[in-house]
Amino acid sequence: MLACIEPFTAARNEEIEVLARAVVRSRKSSGTVLVREGQHPDGLSVVLRGRVNLVRAADGGRDIILSSLGPGEVFGEACAVEGVGASTTAVAAVASDIARIPSDVLLTHLRRDPNTMVRMMRLMSQKLRDVESVASGLALCDVEERLRRTLVRLAKRQGRHSPSDAGWILAPVPTQSELARMVGSCRETVSRTLSSMARSGLLSSSGRRMILGETLMQAEA
């Protein structure tokens, strides 16, 4: 399992086996806080099933979802840097299965296999770019444009292309309340915007399943 997940894709087989023996698996219910902002994580965690939101507190008691992680994505990278706390709070958005590699085991591995550290730094850099993208979107784009970008990003990372449906399938799609927290708006505005996009033929949805049309995907490429 770990050999297919960044940052371990270039690790030697014997190193993967050592890490796998140390993995602690757990199932977390929806709403469980996995790592708090400012807290030093006790390991690197992998989402096996479900979805984990990375959240940061905002003014007025509200919060904003900076990233939503699906199966195969990791959080808690700060555990590899002494004295550094998590930059966001990780919360299980739905019932989720998590695999955690304890910090001491990970640090020992990083000393033996620096390729993993290089790849982990790339992951952290990508997350920083995601945060910068969210920040610039809040400042420069209207709600519909922010929602378009968010849905396309989620589809590319967690969805799958379906030529028979003429688009990308995202399932389960985040709730409208979650989408509102991702784009810095309210649920009612997101609901109206999604309805408008559906009428324009950009997307369709049924329950927790959404299909993003090729026109939308290509426009936001």
Side-chain angles (χ1 to χ4, degrees):
M1 174 267 291
L2 290 177
C4 300
I5 293 172
E6 289 291 1
F8 304 110
T9 54
R12 299 186 300 274
N13 289 337
E14 57 269 27
E15 288 293 322
I16 292 294
E17 292 174 3
V18 171
L19 292 171
R21 287 196 294 269
V23 163
V24 178
R25 297 186 181 227
S26 60
R27 184 167 180 78
K28 303 296 184 180
S29 58
S30 176
T32 300
V33 175
L34 307 173
V35 179
R36 292 191 182 278
E37 182 177 349
Q39 170 189 344
H40 187 70
D42 58 0
L44 182 71
S45 296
V46 182
V47 182
L48 300 178
R49 183 179 181 185
R51 190 172 73 252
V52 171
N53 289 334
L54 301 184
V55 179
R56 179 172 290 175
D59 295 336
R62 300 177 62 184
D63 58 29
I64 186 165
I65 298 174
L66 295 176
S67 187
S68 187
L69 308 179
E73 296 186 283
V74 304
F75 61 95
E77 298 96 327
C79 73
V81 185
E82 184 177 355
V84 173
S87 60
T88 56
T89 295
V91 183
V94 296
S96 302
D97 293 331
I98 307 295
R100 179 176 58 84
I101 302 172
S103 297
D104 58 339
V105 176
L106 179 66
L107 289 171
T108 299
H109 164 68
L110 293 177
R111 285 192 289 268
R112 290 195 300 251
D113 197 335
N115 282 331
T116 300
M117 175 59 85
V118 172
R119 290 173 178 272
M120 186 177 295
M121 295 302 293
R122 288 176 183 167
L123 286 178
M124 296 173 74
S125 177
Q126 179 59 56
K127 286 186 177 179
L128 179 58
R129 287 195 294 271
D130 289 346
V131 170
E132 291 173 342
S133 176
V134 170
S136 64
L138 290 172
L140 302 174
C141 303
D142 60 20
V143 172
E144 179 169 340
E145 180 60 26
R146 297 201 299 269
L147 189 56
R148 286 176 178 234
R149 292 184 179 187
T150 297
L151 290 173
V152 169
R153 185 169 62 249
L154 287 171
K156 288 182 176 179
R157 289 172 57 175
Q158 301 175 21
R160 59 183 176 86
H161 187 236
S162 176
S164 62
D165 291 301
W168 287 65
I169 296 175
L170 180 60
V173 67
T175 65
Q176 291 184 0
S177 294
E178 285 181 290
L179 289 172
R181 292 163 63 203
M182 291 178 189
V183 301
S185 185
C186 63
R187 188 192 63 78
E188 293 77 12
T189 299
V190 166
S191 178
R192 290 195 299 269
T193 305
L194 288 173
S195 295
S196 175
M197 293 169 67
R199 288 194 297 271
S200 299
L202 296 174
L203 57 81
S204 61
S205 59
S206 176
R208 299 299 302 278
R209 182 175 183 266
M210 180 179 288
I211 299 175
L212 308 185
E214 297 290 2
T215 300
L216 175 58
M217 297 297 296
Q218 292 171 5
E220 298 298 326

